[in-house]
Amino acid sequence: MDRRGFIGRVVLTVGNLAVLSYAIAQVISLNEAINKSGRQRMLSQRLAKAYLQLGQGIEVEQSRKILDTSLASFDKQLAELKTFAPTNDNKQLLSEMEKNWLGYKKVLLEKQPNQQDARLIMVLNEDVLSIAHKATVQLETYSGTAMGQLVNISGRQRMLSQRMAKFYQAQQWGVAPPDVMVKLEAARKDFVAGMTTLQAATSNTLRIRDELALAQQQWMFFDDALRKIGEPKNARQYAINVATTSERILSTMDGITGLYQQLA
């Protein structure tokens, strides 16, 4: 597929999904806003992961789907969060996010995935992540509730799953920052600490406890795949394992975050 075809396909798909989503979705509660703001953090990392996977021909069909749907979701949720924003500080931060997002999205869509742009994406996604995290913490602080904190922590686990996978795929493609192993290990420690906090929450229902147990099992497989980083033998299969296991744990943690949101 040539450059024009790549851009046209993605823009058309994203446009169609966005129109449908704008018509049916709104943020109706503070905990939902925390959930969706936290999901923006995750999408910043998931988009980079999908781009890196496409560039290497890893799970191509699924990676394209991830890129398309994540672009649409980020645009949709940004519009929803801007409409809901409960404070002027939050509104200002979301405006800043929008500026950074437009630059990031431009690079994601401009050309077929390539190593030169991938190195730029490794910078731009961090900027969007930083602002999205600040916006989420703002909403949690505004909430002032223990449940708001759990929604934030659970939602952050989604981001960490994609962040670790992103670093793995960047290292696999030779576009990772020099301190990639330090950052990967920091994300791993944060994820383990987050699981400990969630498992200890006294407000957990039976369903949440069951889902957390499932997430813990998935983490064992995901962590095992991540620890293959840098091994040249079967490197492609290991990269595929990271791609698939990161999606499984993301799906479970997204469901858990929704369950916490509903407890409010």
Side-chain angles (χ1 to χ4, degrees), residues 26 55 114 116 136 158 167 169:
Q26 287 183 333
N114 63 86
Q116 181 177 350
T136 307
R158 299 175 299 196
F167 285 137
Q169 304 296 11

Side-chain angles (χ1 to χ4, degrees), residues 135-153:
T136 307
V137 171
Q138 275 185 344
L139 292 170
E140 181 202 324
T141 302
Y142 185 77
S143 166
T145 66
M147 197 54 61
Q149 183 181 37
L150 288 173
V151 173
N152 182 19
I153 294 172

Side-chain angles (χ1 to χ4, degrees), residues 58-126:
I58 296 169
E59 295 287 289
V60 172
E61 184 176 350
Q62 178 66 6
S63 295
R64 282 177 177 158
K65 181 179 179 181
I66 289 170
L67 186 69
D68 291 350
T69 57
S70 296
L71 283 163
S73 293
F74 198 103
D75 276 330
K76 173 181 69 69
Q77 290 179 161
L78 180 56
E80 293 168 3
L81 290 165
K82 286 173 64 180
T83 299
F84 180 84
T87 67
N88 286 331
D89 286 344
N90 191 240
K91 290 177 182 177
Q92 291 174 4
L93 202 53
L94 291 172
S95 294
E96 183 182 351
M97 182 195 295
E98 186 170 30
K99 293 176 184 177
N100 282 265
W101 165 239
L102 291 175
Y104 182 28
K105 183 168 66 169
K106 182 177 184 293
V107 180
L108 287 166
L109 291 174
E110 197 167 33
K111 303 174 186 175
Q112 284 276 19
N114 63 86
Q115 287 178 302
Q116 181 177 350
D117 285 343
R119 293 184 177 92
L120 178 56
I121 279 171
M122 290 300 292
V123 175
L124 296 177
N125 83 83
E126 294 288 323

Side-chain angles (χ1 to χ4, degrees), residues 30-31 37 39 42 45 49 61 63-64 97 107 109 146 179 201 205 209 223 242 257:
L30 189 52
N31 275 349
S37 184
R39 194 178 287 132
M42 177 274 290
Q45 305 303 286
K49 181 193 78 169
E61 184 176 350
S63 295
R64 282 177 177 158
M97 182 195 295
V107 180
L109 291 174
D179 58 349
T205 62
R209 289 196 295 270
D223 189 41
V242 167
T257 306

Side-chain angles (χ1 to χ4, degrees), residues 42-56 58-59 62-64 66-67 70 104 108 113 121-122 125 158-170 173 222 226 239-251:
M42 177 274 290
L43 290 172
S44 74
Q45 305 303 286
R46 194 177 189 224
L47 282 160
K49 181 193 78 169
Y51 183 97
L52 296 168
Q53 290 174 181
L54 280 172
Q56 299 173 81
I58 296 169
E59 295 287 289
Q62 178 66 6
S63 295
R64 282 177 177 158
I66 289 170
L67 186 69
S70 296
Y104 182 28
L108 287 166
I121 279 171
M122 290 300 292
N125 83 83
R158 299 175 299 196
M159 179 276 289
L160 291 169
S161 73
Q162 302 305 288
R163 184 169 178 78
M164 287 182 278
K166 176 198 75 175
F167 285 137
Y168 187 104
Q169 304 296 11
W173 204 15
F222 183 38
L226 288 168
I240 292 172
N241 292 346
V242 167
T244 55
T245 55
S246 67
E247 286 299 302
R248 292 191 192 106
I249 198 165
L250 167 61
S251 177

